Amino acid sequence: MDQHAREQAFISALTTEQFVLQAARSANVGEMTGRATIYMGTVSSALIAFGFLAQVVTHLDPFVAAVLPAVFLLGEFTFAALLRNTLENLVLLRQMQRIRGYYATLVPEAEQFFGQAAEEERISAAMATVGLRARPAGLLFTGASVIAAINSMVGGVGLALLAAKVASMATGAALAVGITAAVVLFGLHLLYQQQRAAPLVLQPPAASALS
């Protein structure tokens, strides 16, 4: 195979790889949407079930004790899966960035379409889409953070009910325990998410493309 044929084959392979990466990103986003929908549907169904049961039974304690831990565990699994998918989405995006970086070297005119400035803008827009920024506050807007916030409320409610029933706390004290627990849980989720995302988010796109 001569040099021209090898170059043509290489360009074809790069184009195919870019389509594969884009398809992988689409599947990734679809999985994230499905997982989040399942969790939100579970939470909504549990609340509706509690509302109906409250009209026909005297004590809801057995039902709450059975359902809330299951919902909380599902929320933790969903949070972990969404965080993994978000980071995988960024890895795929950076792999596509490297391919586009090669396109910028083919002809002089390609710089304005595939150059570093265009890539940094594209990466920044993608991070905004998934809620990731090069600062800790940007992690508040990821899909994983939304699940973490809701699940922290579920955990806080469970601990408040447990404190009221087992420790015989007053309503106000149990409510304070639940609110504190929910805030602490949400903070721990954000801290874990920041530690996992730091290698991808906190370094500039130019440095990531060279690595």
Side-chain angles (χ1 to χ4, degrees), residues 65-88:
V67 173
L68 277 187
V71 173
F72 183 78
L73 286 177
L74 177 62
E76 290 302 298
F77 293 147
T78 304
F79 167 78
L82 261 62
L83 178 56
R84 178 203 64 202
N85 288 350
T86 299
L87 300 181
E88 182 182 349

Side-chain angles (χ1 to χ4, degrees), residues 27-45 71 74-86 141-151:
N28 201 345
V29 172
E31 181 183 352
M32 293 173 64
T33 303
R35 288 181 180 274
T37 301
I38 291 173
Y39 174 72
M40 295 302 298
T42 301
V43 174
S44 300
S45 300
V71 173
L74 177 62
E76 290 302 298
F77 293 147
T78 304
F79 167 78
L82 261 62
L83 178 56
R84 178 203 64 202
N85 288 350
T86 299
F141 305 102
T142 64
S145 294
V146 174
I147 298 300
I150 297 174
N151 208 47

Side-chain angles (χ1 to χ4, degrees), residues 77-132:
F77 293 147
T78 304
F79 167 78
L82 261 62
L83 178 56
R84 178 203 64 202
N85 288 350
T86 299
L87 300 181
E88 182 182 349
N89 191 21
L90 289 179
V91 170
L92 294 172
L93 181 63
R94 294 196 187 281
Q95 291 176 348
M96 294 175 63
Q97 178 192 14
R98 296 180 63 184
I99 296 175
R100 289 171 61 89
Y102 175 77
Y103 291 160
T105 65
L106 295 179
V107 293
E109 295 79 7
E111 179 66 24
Q112 59 181 321
F113 300 103
F114 304 105
Q116 187 60 44
E119 287 306 316
E120 290 183 1
E121 182 179 354
R122 190 166 178 267
I123 292 292
S124 177
M127 285 186 174
T129 301
V130 298
L132 293 177

Side-chain angles (χ1 to χ4, degrees), residues 18 23 50 57 70 76 108 148 174 179 200 203-204:
Q18 190 168 13
F50 290 155
V57 298
E76 290 302 298
I179 294 175
L200 291 174
Q203 56 182 325

